[in-house]
Amino acid sequence: MKNLFIKSIASALMLVLTSNIASAAVTITKDESNEVKQAISLTSDNSNENNNNKSENANHNSNSNNANQAYGQWLFTGGFKENSFVGSNPNYKITQGDSLLVQLWGGIDYQAEVKVDPQGNIFIPKVGPIKVLGVSNAEINNVVLKGIKRVYKSNVEAYVNLMSSQTVKVFLSGLVNKPGLYEGQSADSILRFIDLAGGIKAELGSMRHIEVKRNNQTKYTIDLYDFIQHGTMPAIQLQEGDVIFVAAKHGDVTIEGDVGFSGTYQLKEDTAKLSNILNAVITKKKATHITVIAPENSDGENELSVQQYAMGEALNNNTIEVKAGSLIKVSSQLRAKKISVELIGEHNSQFEIVLPWGASLADLLADVKYTKLSNKDAIQLFRASVATRQKDMLLASLSALEQSVLTARSQTNEAAQLRSAEASTILQWIEKAKLVEPKGQVLLSDGYNASQIILQQGDRIVVPTKRNLVMIHGEVLFPTAIAYNNQMNINEYIAKAGGATDDVDNMNILIMKPNGDFVDVNEHLNSKKQINPGDEIFVLAKPDAKSFQLTKDITQVMYQIAVSAAVILAL
């Protein structure tokens, strides 16, 4: 029973390539302009064209701006917390608990690792205590040697090296994700302690106002944007009980457009220099203008102020200030004078053609050097914007279908069981369907006016090869290619492929022309005039619409997939 049910679903999905296909496509005819609202493609020919079109459609997925991303949010992802700082900092000040390796030779032979005691001294036998508290790492050798020579006036040399800094416990407070008490080395950067605390709270914490407090007094103030933009970080020597405090952010601006970083950028004060912000987010080379949309409060009324600057002025004029809450839009206002399009397929012309802005398809085709195998009557046009629109429409339809499956109700137990089996199968199919990438073909019907088809940058024009074959697909015993014979009708071609898997009266028969157009030939199966070289015959089963409850919705979505991506996605 379940196998019969699944088979009925599969048959229903094939319904999409029946009577609807020929009538639902919006194509360009001789009476229509280049304003194409919808275009389809169901071409199984020219596999190279399919591969070339994938890279164009991939732009739809990769081109995205995340306005919720915060500048610098990538900083605290665990890269600092794993290891303590073990390098030699010459400016480090020796403090209690530090370990020093002391080596003496000459008049006295001594080697040991000694700790700085609570009084700030180290003790060397036969010499006594030597005060090292507050001595820099660069001077520690000289200070210790001077202390030794108070006892041994000559013939004694010393080498002193900082082995490890003091272990300290530091409080993390303010707008961090995990406030608390954390342990590390006194020479560790505050970056490590903030990373241990889970980073700074998104949307709340400031990356520009971080304080190190000691005895309730602010000892250091750090701006992490200096570290991100210039790689500078003050050398801070932490002590036991210090507090690292992350303040609330002061305000921010939003950047979008032709920039390396799109999102929010925190300000240190109420305003910031526009040039500094643009240098931080890295404007793209093609950007030409900056538009600043800022909030204003005039006479108690909230308004928006809009100012636009040329890129050179915005980068070089240090007097331009932007307020917190502003939107900075970076745009390219270049005016194209020429376009380039791809010309692929059967011809002897160049594969990349440069044309004046506003050139038509007729202008291009007039200069094409055709070969004797070029099929000039089946020119194909592919456009990225059409593929993008097809993808959006497909995803919207899939989302609606998914909601229908998940929210549908059943009146009886038998209907509920049928619905459950149906839903599982359809939901799996929906996930596969979301991966389909439309081709973006604009159908050029017989008699279209090529002079009215205005080409766009990146268009792909295909000159198909003449074929003396007829392809037969679908519900036949042996899908195959058959040499064209003008004495054969459609029924005879189907018979040459082993015949239909069911009575022909239970099938929908379509012919796809080389330009991607479809013709319903169910009433002309004995005609010889309907079939021409290069055509493809589709033999499709008519499903029983009563077999399951979502036939109509799935049929509609399957039709979209088939006509936009040249894919028959069966269950």
Side-chain angles (χ1 to χ4, degrees):
M1 179 66 182
K2 182 177 181 181
N3 291 335
L4 291 174
F5 166 71
I6 298 299
K7 184 177 180 180
S8 69
I9 296 182
S11 298
L13 296 179
M14 298 298 288
L15 177 65
V16 302
L17 299 175
T18 59
S19 59
N20 286 337
I21 280 187
S23 60
V26 177
T27 61
I28 296 179
T29 66
K30 61 182 179 180
D31 298 323
E32 294 176 321
S33 69
N34 60 302
E35 297 175 357
V36 183
K37 295 183 179 178
Q38 179 183 4
I40 66 170
S41 171
L42 188 61
T43 312
S44 60
D45 192 16
N46 300 312
S47 61
N48 289 335
E49 299 150 26
N50 295 341
N51 293 334
N52 288 336
N53 208 39
K54 289 178 182 177
S55 61
E56 189 79 27
N57 294 333
N59 293 333
H60 172 76
N61 295 328
S62 61
N63 182 20
S64 61
N65 278 333
N66 187 356
N68 293 325
Q69 186 178 9
Y71 185 83
Q73 72 173 25
W74 58 84
L75 200 57
F76 298 109
T77 57
F80 297 109
K81 67 181 180 181
E82 298 300 330
N83 297 292
S84 292
F85 181 75
V86 295
S88 177
N89 178 8
N91 296 319
Y92 177 81
K93 303 294 184 181
I94 304 299
T95 187
Q96 296 93 335
D98 288 349
S99 294
L100 301 178
L101 177 62
V102 179
Q103 300 176 81
L104 306 178
W105 68 93
I108 180 174
D109 188 14
Y110 176 78
Q111 178 175 324
E113 182 176 332
V114 296
K115 278 198 172 187
V116 181
D117 64 24
Q119 286 75 40
N121 301 321
I122 59 171
F123 185 84
I124 299 176
K126 299 182 181 180
V127 174
I130 300 175
K131 191 77 169 182
V132 294
L133 180 64
V135 176
S136 69
N137 196 18
E139 293 294 324
I140 187 63
N141 198 79
N142 293 332
V143 170
V144 173
L145 182 58
K146 185 178 179 180
I148 292 172
K149 287 193 173 183
R150 289 180 307 183
V151 178
Y152 296 91
K153 301 297 183 181
S154 62
N155 197 29
V156 174
E157 297 296 333
Y159 181 79
V160 183
N161 185 39
L162 176 66
M163 293 296 292
S164 64
S165 57
Q166 177 191 16
T167 299
V168 296
K169 292 184 175 64
V170 175
F171 292 97
L172 269 293
S173 178
L175 294 172
V176 292
N177 287 310
K178 300 177 184 176
L181 184 64
Y182 293 89
E183 184 177 85
Q185 299 296 318
S186 60
D188 283 344
S189 166
I190 65 162
L191 295 171
R192 180 171 186 268
F193 285 98
I194 295 176
D195 209 6
L196 286 169
I200 297 173
K201 276 188 173 294
E203 304 295 331
L204 296 175
S206 173
M207 301 192 73
R208 314 208 62 178
H209 293 275
I210 299 173
E211 298 176 350
V212 176
K213 295 177 179 288
R214 186 170 298 158
N215 299 323
N216 296 323
Q217 300 294 321
T218 300
K219 187 75 174 176
Y220 305 98
T221 301
I222 301 99
D223 182 354
L224 291 183
Y225 278 14
D226 289 339
F227 177 73
I228 296 172
Q229 296 168 18
H230 310 295
T232 59
M233 172 64 68
I236 298 175
Q237 187 168 332
L238 297 170
Q239 294 185 10
E240 186 82 6
D242 280 354
V243 176
I244 299 175
F245 176 76
V246 177
K249 71 177 181 179
H250 198 82
D252 54 33
V253 295
T254 301
I255 304 102
E256 63 180 38
D258 292 325
V259 288
F261 169 82
S262 295
T264 58
Y265 182 94
Q266 292 184 11
L267 303 187
K268 201 169 185 178
E269 307 294 342
D270 291 336
T271 62
K273 294 185 185 301
L274 177 59
S275 58
N276 291 343
I277 297 174
L278 295 177
N279 286 326
V281 299
I282 310 174
T283 57
K284 295 182 179 178
K285 294 295 184 182
K286 66 178 181 178
T288 61
H289 287 77
I290 309 296
T291 304
V292 179
I293 304 172
E296 296 283 355
N297 192 312
S298 178
D299 297 329
E301 295 186 4
N302 294 324
E303 299 176 351
L304 288 178
S305 169
V306 181
Q307 296 288 334
Q308 190 172 81
Y309 308 94
M311 180 59 71
E313 179 186 8
L315 288 174
N316 299 321
N317 189 343
N318 289 328
T319 64
I320 302 175
E321 302 269 347
V322 293
K323 298 179 179 179
S326 297
L327 170 63
I328 301 173
K329 303 179 71 174
V330 182
S331 60
S332 173
Q333 299 187 21
L334 298 173
R335 298 293 185 267
K337 294 183 179 180
K338 293 184 178 181
I339 62 170
S340 65
V341 298
E342 287 186 67
L343 180 64
I344 58 179
E346 187 61 42
H347 64 86
N348 286 328
S349 301
Q350 294 179 342
F351 292 106
E352 188 79 18
I353 308 295
V354 177
L355 297 165
W357 177 264
S360 68
L361 181 59
D363 297 329
L364 171 68
L365 297 180
D367 294 330
V368 173
K369 298 176 182 178
Y370 297 105
T371 71
K372 64 179 182 179
L373 295 179
S374 299
N375 191 347
K376 296 186 287 185
D377 297 326
I379 300 297
Q380 301 171 1
L381 171 61
F382 297 88
R383 181 164 291 171
S385 59
V386 174
T388 299
R389 179 59 178 159
Q390 289 173 337
K391 181 70 174 183
D392 292 340
M393 295 171 63
L394 174 61
L395 292 177
S397 298
L398 288 171
S399 178
L401 174 59
E402 190 172 28
Q403 290 299 317
S404 298
V405 172
L406 295 174
T407 59
R409 296 181 178 181
S410 303
Q411 301 296 328
T412 65
N413 289 336
E414 183 179 1
Q417 294 176 357
L418 178 65
R419 176 75 69 185
S420 177
E422 176 184 311
S424 176
T425 303
I426 295 174
L427 290 175
Q428 292 178 28
W429 175 84
I430 288 175
E431 292 306 311
K432 291 192 296 181
K434 289 179 179 179
L435 302 177
V436 172
E437 293 296 333
K439 294 175 61 180
Q441 184 177 0
V442 178
L443 284 185
L444 306 175
S445 295
D446 293 339
Y448 75 96
N449 188 344
S451 64
Q452 293 183 353
I453 311 299
I454 305 302
L455 296 176
Q456 297 180 5
Q457 173 62 37
D459 278 353
R460 181 176 289 109
I461 295 88
V462 179
V463 181
T465 303
K466 290 180 180 178
R467 296 183 307 165
N468 198 42
L469 299 174
V470 174
M471 302 283 294
I472 298 95
H473 309 275
E475 297 293 326
V476 292
L477 291 178
F478 306 106
T480 187
I482 300 174
Y484 174 74
N485 185 337
N486 60 8
Q487 298 302 313
M488 291 174 59
N489 60 33
I490 297 170
N491 266 331
E492 290 171 329
Y493 278 106
I494 295 174
K496 288 286 186 182
T501 57
D502 199 351
D503 193 286
V504 173
D505 293 336
N506 295 328
M507 299 289 175
N508 278 309
I509 314 298
L510 295 176
I511 289 180
M512 185 182 71
K513 297 297 181 180
N515 68 343
D517 205 357
F518 279 88
V519 179
D520 185 339
V521 293
N522 284 290
E523 304 298 326
H524 308 284
L525 297 182
N526 294 317
S527 172
K528 300 175 183 178
K529 297 180 180 180
Q530 294 288 338
I531 192 77
N532 294 297
D535 287 352
E536 299 187 31
I537 301 173
F538 286 81
V539 181
L540 307 168
K542 292 180 180 177
D544 180 4
K546 296 180 181 179
S547 296
F548 62 98
Q549 303 176 43
L550 294 174
T551 302
K552 181 179 178 181
D553 291 340
I554 298 181
T555 298
Q556 179 182 357
V557 178
M558 277 298 299
Y559 168 67
Q560 283 183 265
I561 294 174
V563 298
S564 66
V567 174
I568 302 175
L569 189 60
L571 289 170

